[in-house]
């Protein structure tokens, strides 16, 4: 009998170094995101840099379909709560917009200026501001750290107002980090400052889901083993707490290419995200 034990927490949660040409991301997203933004702006279908709270990074971009939106998709970016902003991800709105949904993509105040719990409160404010502009059902999706943030919205201690919680139809977490305790073992925790108390209040896998939540946990089959484990972990626990859950492992996709399906209205990722 063989046993598996994580002994190198840096390697277990590092992505680019274990992907061929992995150092091209996130820079590879800059140009397609800008081109998408520019094209939709020229068509009069964007509202950019909308404030949802007073801090400098409390801004979101709203992308609009050709006709009245069927509802709202909110995409929350990753970067280990330490990096990046809304400008890298605009093109990921393409699949949902082509299906008739508006898409909001917020930035948020990064660690160490903020803490993960504080970021969660900002995301709740961003969802609220966008939802006040767009009627209909709300669908949440997020990548990596963003997966943790969108799942956190659907817990019994959610920072979201109950009226907006009731509008959320589906949460799709992509490569989410749902148990923060292993991240405490990484050197980056000097900036994140996760402690035992925050791990317990902000890890979706340690919290209870709200009633009637529908959750999809999606991950690439070529991702690091810990991301695949964390993806299955949340669905496993929330299934036992009464949530409707699904786990999808998309073959051959790594931590960055797993997002590609959001650009295509016909891709299974987008179709799953928007399924009624």
């Amino acid at each position: 009998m063989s046993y598996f034990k994580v002994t190198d927490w840096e390697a277990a949660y590092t992505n680019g170094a274990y992907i061929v040409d992995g150092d091209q991301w996130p820079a590879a997203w800059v140009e397609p995101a800008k081109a998408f933004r520019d094209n939709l702006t020229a068509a009069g279908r964007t509202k950019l840099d909308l404030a949802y709270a007073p801090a400098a990074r409390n801004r979101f971009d709203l992308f609009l379909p050709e006709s009245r939106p069927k509802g709202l998709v909110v995409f929350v970016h990753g970067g280990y709560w330490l990096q990046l902003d809304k400008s890298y991800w605009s093109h990921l709105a393409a699949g949902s917009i082509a299906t008739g949904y508006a898409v909001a993509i917020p930035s948020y105040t990064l660690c160490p200026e903020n803490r993960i719990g504080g970021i969660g409160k900002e995301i709740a404010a961003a969802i609220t501001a966008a939802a006040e502009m767009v009627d209909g059902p709300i669908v949440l999706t997020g990548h990596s750290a963003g997966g943790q943030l969108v799942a956190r919205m659907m817990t019994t201690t959610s920072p979201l107002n109950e009226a907006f919680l009731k509008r959320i139809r589906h949460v799709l977490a992509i490569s989410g980090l749902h148990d923060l305790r292993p991240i405490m073992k990484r050197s980056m925790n000097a900036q994140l400052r996760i402690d035992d108390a925050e791990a317990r209040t902000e890890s979706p896998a340690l919290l209870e889901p709200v009633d009637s939540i529908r959750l999809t946990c999606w991950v690439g089959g070529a991702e690091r083993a810990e991301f695949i484990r964390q993806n299955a972990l949340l669905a496993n626990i929330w299934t036992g707490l009464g949530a409707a859950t699904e786990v999808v492992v998309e073959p051959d996709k790594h931590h960055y290419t797993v997002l590609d399906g959001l650009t295509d209205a016909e891709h299974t990722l987008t179709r799953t995200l928007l399924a009624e």
Side-chain angles (χ1 to χ4, degrees):
M1 182 179 294
S2 61
Y3 294 87
F4 177 78
K5 179 180 179 180
V6 178
T7 57
D8 186 341
W9 297 97
E10 300 293 337
Y13 284 93
T14 296
N15 289 295
Y18 297 92
I19 297 169
V20 176
D21 297 326
D23 57 355
Q24 69 179 290
W25 286 279
W29 292 318
V30 171
E31 197 53 45
K34 182 180 184 301
F36 179 85
R37 222 167 31 246
D38 290 348
N39 288 339
L40 247 65
T41 298
R45 291 166 52 198
T46 62
K47 296 180 185 294
L48 304 179
D49 290 319
L50 299 170
Y52 65 83
R57 289 177 59 95
N58 293 163
R59 302 289 185 271
F60 71 96
D61 293 338
L62 184 65
F63 302 99
L64 299 168
E66 292 183 351
S67 56
R68 182 181 178 86
K70 296 178 180 178
L72 173 69
V73 173
V74 181
F75 174 86
V76 180
H77 75 79
Y80 271 118
W81 308 276
L82 290 166
Q83 300 174 313
L84 310 177
D85 59 49
K86 60 185 173 62
S87 68
Y88 288 81
W89 321 89
S90 306
H91 58 300
L92 300 182
S96 296
I97 288 174
T99 310
Y101 284 77
V103 178
I105 303 181
S107 292
Y108 47 84
T109 307
L110 300 170
C111 298
E113 183 180 349
N114 207 348
R115 296 192 64 145
I116 291 174
I119 294 173
K121 291 181 175 66
E122 291 189 355
I123 294 304
I127 294 168
T128 298
E132 287 174 342
M133 299 177 65
V134 180
D135 293 332
I138 301 169
V139 178
L140 304 181
T141 186
H143 175 240
S144 201
Q148 174 267 330
L149 291 164
V150 295
R152 176 71 179 89
M153 296 301 106
M154 300 308 296
T155 63
T156 55
T157 56
S158 174
L160 263 178
N161 179 286
E162 185 175 355
F164 294 102
L165 271 175
K166 289 181 177 178
R167 286 177 56 188
I168 295 175
R169 184 175 73 200
H170 184 207
V171 173
L172 194 156
I174 304 170
S175 309
L177 295 165
H178 302 301
D179 183 353
L180 299 179
R181 292 173 297 179
I183 310 304
M184 294 169 62
K185 300 176 185 293
R186 294 203 61 187
S187 59
M188 66 171 56
N189 201 44
Q191 297 170 282
L192 296 175
R193 298 173 292 151
I194 306 168
D195 55 22
D196 288 337
E198 186 166 55
R200 294 190 181 280
T201 58
E202 301 303 325
S203 296
L206 304 181
L207 300 172
E208 292 201 19
V210 296
D211 291 339
S212 304
I213 177 60
R214 183 159 58 93
L215 170 75
T216 301
C217 292
W218 191 289
V219 73
E223 297 206 44
R224 305 293 287 156
E226 274 294 279
F227 282 88
I228 295 173
R229 183 188 68 82
Q230 288 237 14
N231 186 68
L233 174 70
L234 182 63
N236 185 306
I237 292 173
W238 279 18
T239 298
L241 297 173
T245 69
E246 181 180 12
V247 175
V248 179
V249 180
E250 186 176 1
D252 303 323
K253 296 292 186 179
H254 58 61
H255 191 68
Y256 306 116
T257 57
V258 71
L259 290 168
D260 292 349
L262 291 177
T263 67
D264 180 0
E266 297 304 317
H267 192 280
T268 306
L269 177 57
T270 298
R271 296 178 69 173
T272 301
L273 175 68
L274 302 177
E276 298 184 13

